[in-house]
Amino acid sequence: MSDLILEAAARAKEAGPGAINATIGVLYDENGESLIFPSVQQAMRRIDPENNEQDNSILGIASYRQAVERLLGNHPRIASIATSGGEDALSINLRLISELQPHATIAVPTPMWIKHADLSHAAGLTVVHVPYLKNGAASVEGLTQAIRSGIKHVLVQATGNNPTGFDYTQDQWMELADVMQKYGATAIVDFAYQGFTDEPEQDAFCIKTLAGHKVPILVAWSASKNHAMPKSEAIPYERIGLAAAMVQYQNQFHAFKRKYQNAALRRAAPPSAYGQRVVALVQQELRNEWTSDLREIRTQIDETRELLTHFLPEELARAFRGGRGLFALPDFKPEDVDQLRIRHNIHLPADGRVNIGGIPLQCAPKVASAMSDIKEKMT
């Protein structure tokens, strides 16, 4: 997460309970409090937070890794390691690419989550930016052109695109998979929002499509949103994620397993055993309740998006219309963002990205009116 987003979130917190905090991609309830899924609360009550044993595996708790692997589609050859959130998982996978092919080039669509480029550079990769949008919609054209030009690695978001909210269609995933298969490219998939645009199985469509085309896949999966848990002094919870490699051959599976073991030996501390056990229990025994929680969240986000679209003028509404998940990226300049904060106590990051999950449903008309007012005055 960028420092600018954290700064915006800190200002929103300082502004008090009347502020609309649409900065960090965190879920809030109608009272502006961080939302915890009831299914996750049930699991938390049943697990001792003081039990930090790791089940004798440096790769993480087996039941946790197996639960997430099932969410990804249960690929027949998948190596994995528990991580401290999705960013940690992505960082590990990018470093593996660099180890396997020093000075490799990776295609990164833009607009993007700012850490995609930062983490790629930090791993020693050369980053080539390609356009993500064409005529206001998600497009794979930039990626397919990059692959045809010889680039062998691409970084893609599975669903719930951050920051635009516009995802590839199933046909576009099929087109991208065809080209990747033909040219022998590898996909690094950021999967931070499974279950936030559709049922979890449907949101894994891209993983299944790429795997079906025998495309090597490195997945960075996160539980931070779809198993949201509080963080407090009483509960030693840390962000939980999974780095996974889906490959075609047994020798590749063993090679990536060794790579993940080496990554585990290098890190300062393992990810939270408590968080892993909570996620595992949710998936093993509370799966129906969890999917119901996700449906409720999707409905809330979709209804808020629809209200914003209804009340906004067309020049702003098009950034929300047809999008899915938490985010939208209207055409706000930094000065627009400043005025929203100063005049209306509505807080966004400097790039204008909107976390729809941070806007209470009943506040959507007010937020739309404020956005319209600011845009009108600044044009």
Side-chain angles (χ1 to χ4, degrees):
M1 189 181 303
S2 75
D3 291 340
L4 292 177
I5 295 177
L6 290 174
E7 289 172 10
R11 284 194 295 268
K13 186 174 181 179
E14 291 170 1
I20 300 293
N21 184 359
T23 56
I24 298 176
V26 173
L27 293 168
Y28 298 98
D29 61 22
E30 290 300 294
N31 299 315
E33 300 293 331
S34 295
L35 186 145
I36 310 171
F37 290 3
S39 57
V40 174
Q41 288 178 316
Q42 286 188 55
M44 291 170 64
R45 287 194 293 267
R46 291 167 55 181
I47 294 175
D48 179 7
E50 300 301 323
N51 182 357
N52 290 312
E53 295 178 7
Q54 293 293 317
D55 291 357
N56 298 319
S57 173
I58 63 172
L59 294 174
I61 295 173
S63 59
Y64 165 73
R65 292 189 294 116
Q66 291 163 3
V68 179
E69 289 169 9
R70 284 193 294 272
L71 284 171
L72 297 177
N74 246 357
H75 191 279
R77 280 168 292 277
I78 176 168
S80 67
I81 179 175
T83 64
S84 298
E87 181 178 333
D88 185 32
L90 183 57
S91 179
I92 287 172
N93 281 341
L94 290 168
R95 287 198 298 268
L96 291 194
I97 292 293
S98 187
E99 289 174 13
L100 292 167
Q101 187 181 340
H103 313 298
T105 298
I106 187 168
V108 178
T110 185
M112 62 187 160
W113 182 45
I114 190 169
K115 283 295 185 74
H116 284 171
D118 291 347
L119 294 173
S120 298
H121 284 302
L125 302 172
T126 299
V127 175
V128 171
H129 295 281
V130 300
Y132 181 70
L133 300 175
K134 183 177 182 180
N135 299 323
S139 170
V140 297
E141 186 176 315
L143 284 177
T144 56
Q145 289 178 352
I147 295 165
R148 290 188 175 101
S149 74
I151 292 177
K152 295 295 185 182
H153 305 93
V154 299
L155 202 170
V156 293
Q157 293 184 64
T159 187
N161 180 265
N162 179 3
T164 71
F166 297 128
D167 290 336
Y168 296 141
T169 65
Q170 292 191 357
D171 286 343
Q172 286 175 317
W173 280 117
M174 294 290 288
E175 177 186 351
L176 180 60
D178 285 338
V179 175
M180 295 188 73
Q181 180 186 45
K182 180 177 179 180
Y183 288 87
T186 296
I188 297 86
V189 181
D190 181 356
F191 204 178
Y193 305 104
Q194 186 173 14
F196 276 77
T197 67
D198 209 328
E199 295 294 311
E201 294 78 10
Q202 278 68 52
D203 272 356
F205 176 84
C206 70
I207 305 290
K208 298 168 186 175
T209 300
L210 293 167
H213 283 70
K214 296 181 169 52
V215 173
I217 312 166
L218 297 181
V219 182
W221 183 89
S222 173
S224 299
K225 304 298 187 293
N226 62 19
H227 290 78
M229 286 177 272
K231 183 175 182 179
S232 70
E233 292 182 2
I235 300 175
Y237 166 68
E238 297 175 5
R239 295 165 70 89
I240 301 300
L242 190 86
M246 299 179 176
V247 294
Q248 297 301 315
Y249 304 106
Q250 198 67 14
N251 64 327
Q252 294 174 320
F253 164 79
H254 290 298
F256 275 102
K257 184 176 180 180
R258 286 193 298 272
K259 289 287 186 183
Y260 285 143
Q261 288 170 334
N262 290 337
L265 291 171
R266 289 195 299 264
R267 62 189 176 191
S272 164
Y274 175 69
Q276 292 179 65
R277 287 193 170 90
V278 168
V279 172
L281 181 57
V282 168
Q283 292 304 314
Q284 290 168 343
E285 300 184 27
L286 300 165
R287 177 66 182 268
N288 289 339
E289 292 88 340
W290 176 71
T291 55
S292 177
D293 292 341
L294 281 170
R295 289 188 200 107
E296 186 174 331
I297 290 301
R298 287 198 304 273
T299 298
Q300 175 184 318
I301 294 171
D302 289 347
E303 288 178 352
T304 304
R305 183 187 290 273
E306 186 176 344
L307 271 178
L308 290 168
T309 303
H310 176 76
F311 284 103
L312 285 168
E314 178 58 27
E315 63 174 323
L316 291 175
R318 67 173 67 104
F320 294 83
R321 185 182 298 114
R324 298 298 305 277
L326 288 173
F327 302 113
L329 188 65
D331 183 22
F332 285 137
K333 305 294 188 295
E335 54 267 30
D336 300 335
V337 172
D338 287 341
Q339 288 302 306
L340 278 170
R341 185 186 75 253
I342 294 166
R343 294 169 59 87
H344 299 282
N345 206 11
I346 296 171
H347 298 256
L348 307 178
D351 65 355
R353 187 198 72 177
V354 178
N355 168 28
I356 296 170
I359 302 173
L361 182 63
Q362 73 270 17
C363 295
K366 167 191 167 184
V367 171
S369 175
M371 289 179 173
S372 303
D373 174 63
I374 293 302
K375 198 64 182 174
E376 198 173 283
K377 285 180 169 54
M378 302 300 281
T379 54

